[in-house]
Amino acid sequence: GAGVSQSPSNKVTEKGKDVELRCDPISGHTALYWYRQSLGQGLEFLIYFQGNSAPDKSGLPSDRFSAERTGGSVSTLTIQRTQQEDSAVYLCASSFFQDTQYFGPGTRLTVL
Amino acid sequence: AQSVTQLDSQVPVFEEAPVELRCNYSSSVSVYLFWYVQYPNQGLQLLLKYLSGSTLVESINGFEAEFNKSQTSFHLRKPSVHISDTAEYFCAVSGMDSSYKLIFGSGTRLLVRP
């Protein structure tokens, strides 16, 4: 079956613009995670969704970052007023409850 | 809270030699342990995991890792590496407390030379 998909694969934006990153999890997976991978900070957890429970937003670095998950499936990560330090690869993962997390290919975000 | 330490940022090794990639963790709760691999220009793939039971876990491509609770370690080993094993290896933990989010180490780049 299909794995986790993310779009776009690459995004170049100007400082101060808003961006939206999309994640399509594996069908039937209940949990969805966002991480980011950057040279300076390595792999960092951002946010977690599990079913209809309140999301765990403890990893979001600032209030410019937000995410939603519609219908328990697709998720969108939004970064407002992007800064150069937001440049990174944003990874989405999904799992069946607390089972193994499967990662998507990522979205490479470059803020000029 | 959990943390993971991978002391070696890069490990060069000759083909067919053995290798050990070190991973130590700290946590106030019980944890699950993982090794993920990232091949050049590819996404993260699960290599192996420890959830419970036997402390020695193996992957399909010859890697193994042993959970040592007393030393809080989960080192990754392979008795004979191939050129194709060249990749970045990430150790990760998730606490059995809430979201099961993964906390990653900084990664170890395994460079296999002919």
Side-chain angles (χ1 to χ4, degrees):
Chain A
V4 178
S5 61
Q6 293 185 245
S7 59
S9 56
N10 281 283
K11 176 72 177 179
V12 180
T13 190
E14 294 179 348
K15 179 181 173 181
K17 300 283 189 182
D18 297 352
V19 295
E20 286 188 350
L21 312 179
R22 177 187 169 103
C23 172
D24 282 272
I26 293 172
S27 178
H29 277 191
T30 57
L32 188 148
Y33 302 78
W34 283 97
Y35 297 85
R36 74 175 176 182
Q37 186 173 22
S38 59
L39 285 177
Q41 303 298 322
L43 274 157
E44 307 171 276
F45 164 78
L46 296 177
I47 188 169
Y48 157 73
F49 297 90
Q50 173 66 273
N52 294 321
S53 303
D56 177 352
K57 304 179 182 180
S58 61
L60 295 179
S62 78
D63 58 8
R64 296 186 294 105
F65 287 72
S66 63
E68 63 177 18
R69 189 179 184 193
T70 55
S73 180
V74 172
S75 177
T76 302
L77 176 69
T78 301
I79 308 174
Q80 295 179 311
R81 304 180 303 281
T82 52
Q83 304 294 311
Q84 288 183 332
E85 61 263 29
D86 299 335
S87 295
V89 176
Y90 288 81
L91 298 168
C92 176
S94 71
S95 68
F96 184 70
F97 291 98
Q98 280 78 41
D99 207 341
T100 301
Q101 292 180 37
Y102 294 90
F103 283 80
T107 294
R108 181 175 297 277
L109 175 66
T110 303
V111 182
L112 301 177
Chain B
Q2 294 83 42
S3 67
V4 179
T5 302
Q6 292 181 252
L7 286 174
D8 303 309
S9 59
Q10 182 164 298
V11 173
V13 63
F14 288 107
E15 192 174 19
E16 298 183 4
V19 71
E20 178 180 81
L21 306 184
R22 296 179 293 169
C23 172
N24 289 87
Y25 70 93
S26 67
S27 177
S28 56
V29 300
S30 296
V31 296
Y32 297 135
L33 293 154
F34 306 83
W35 277 98
Y36 279 84
V37 59
Q38 188 171 37
Y39 297 102
N41 300 314
Q42 294 188 30
L44 280 169
Q45 302 174 30
L46 179 69
L47 188 60
L48 46 74
K49 61 184 178 183
Y50 170 78
L51 303 181
S52 65
S54 173
T55 57
L56 184 66
V57 291
E58 299 177 350
S59 72
I60 59 173
N61 58 351
F63 283 93
E64 65 179 30
E66 186 160 20
F67 169 52
N68 187 319
K69 189 174 182 179
S70 63
Q71 296 187 4
T72 60
S73 68
F74 191 56
H75 301 330
L76 182 70
R77 302 182 182 94
K78 189 171 185 180
S80 176
V81 294
H82 302 289
I83 297 288
S84 60
D85 293 325
T86 294
E88 187 100 21
Y89 292 80
F90 294 92
C91 181
V93 301
S94 70
M96 301 183 202
D97 45 4
S98 55
S99 68
Y100 294 85
K101 61 194 177 193
L102 292 170
I103 305 299
F104 287 91
S106 54
T108 297
R109 181 171 299 278
L110 177 62
L111 180 59
V112 182
R113 298 166 172 165

